Amino acid sequence: MIANSPIPPVVPAGHLARHPQPVLELPRELGLELRPWRPGDAHALLAAGQDPAIRRWNLFQVASPEEARQRIERMHERWQAEQGAIWAIARSDGDGEALGLIGWNGIDLTGGSAEIVYWILPAARGGGVAVEAVKRLSGWALEELGLHRLRLCHSVANPASCRVAAKAGYTLEGTQRGALLHADGWHDQHLHALVQGDPLGAE
């Protein structure tokens, strides 16, 4: 009788915490990059907390500059705890203004999975920013971090996120019933996924 060998973690513990969070370039024509959040970006979080679309679809609220600064501190703490990895979508020249957020929640290094979250402030909407940011960060998660499966979930009443998922190469796998509690009640949720070997940017 052969003893079963334990399954090794997909990504060893410590892989995130022992490295600084990187700056990731987006296509040059966008003039944007993905970088860690800074204390001076608190105004961008506060603006997002007041934006109707972000509040509706991301269930995101920030009530004060102090709360925004605390959230930024928690982002860095979650990187060290290997529970989350959140970037600012920011201008790559000038003052580096933060115009959006993108990152990974629910990181499971042992199982090799995570869920992507993102939002874009009105000044940067359109022009494919969300798609390019999702593609870049998904490539980083699969190729550099070494995760196996990535999820993108959204309310079925938000077709814009369906388009982003499809353009970034995520496959629609199904609908999760009554999965999201919004201000107007429970929403069904679309589940999209990207796994190792899937092409990025498939239509």
Side-chain angles (χ1 to χ4, degrees), residues 22 25 27 39 44 46 57 81 92 101 111 115 117 121-122 128-129 143 149-150 162 169 173:
E25 295 181 353
L46 190 58
W57 299 124
S92 54
L101 174 148
E115 180 177 347
V117 294
L121 288 170
V129 171
E143 298 162 13
R149 175 179 168 85
L150 310 176
C162 250
E173 293 188 337

Side-chain angles (χ1 to χ4, degrees), residues 147-190:
L147 298 180
H148 175 74
R149 175 179 168 85
L150 310 176
R151 304 182 305 279
L152 190 161
C153 301
H154 64 85
S155 165
V156 298
N158 184 5
S161 281
C162 250
R163 292 191 293 270
V164 169
K167 290 180 179 179
Y170 281 70
T171 297
L172 176 61
E173 293 188 337
T175 301
Q176 298 173 309
R177 296 178 301 143
L180 293 170
L181 180 57
H182 286 257
D184 60 351
W186 289 97
H187 285 217
D188 291 352
Q189 173 177 265
H190 277 164

Side-chain angles (χ1 to χ4, degrees), residues 83-125:
Q83 297 171 343
I86 308 296
W87 281 257
I89 303 171
R91 298 194 191 280
S92 54
D93 54 9
D95 61 3
E97 179 185 8
L99 298 171
L101 174 148
I102 190 166
W104 301 106
N105 280 339
I107 291 177
D108 176 5
L109 296 183
T110 299
S113 68
E115 180 177 347
I116 198 163
V117 294
Y118 65 89
W119 49 253
I120 310 288
L121 288 170
R125 289 176 190 159

Side-chain angles (χ1 to χ4, degrees), residues 20-34:
Q21 187 173 355
V23 175
L24 306 175
E25 295 181 353
L26 293 180
R28 185 182 300 271
E29 61 270 19
L30 294 178
L32 300 171
E33 65 185 9
L34 309 183

Side-chain angles (χ1 to χ4, degrees), residues 27-89:
R28 185 182 300 271
E29 61 270 19
L30 294 178
L32 300 171
E33 65 185 9
L34 309 183
R35 62 158 174 79
W37 282 81
R38 305 166 180 165
D41 296 325
H43 66 284
L45 285 186
L46 190 58
Q50 310 308 312
D51 182 81
I54 293 173
R55 287 169 64 98
R56 180 182 185 191
W57 299 124
N58 296 83
L59 308 176
F60 182 84
Q61 297 186 40
V62 175
S64 68
E66 178 59 27
E67 182 182 348
R69 288 189 288 269
Q70 291 172 355
R71 281 178 175 264
I72 292 169
E73 290 176 5
R74 287 199 297 272
M75 291 177 194
H76 295 281
E77 292 168 357
R78 291 180 68 208
W79 176 276
Q80 289 299 317
E82 301 187 317
Q83 297 171 343
I86 308 296
W87 281 257
I89 303 171

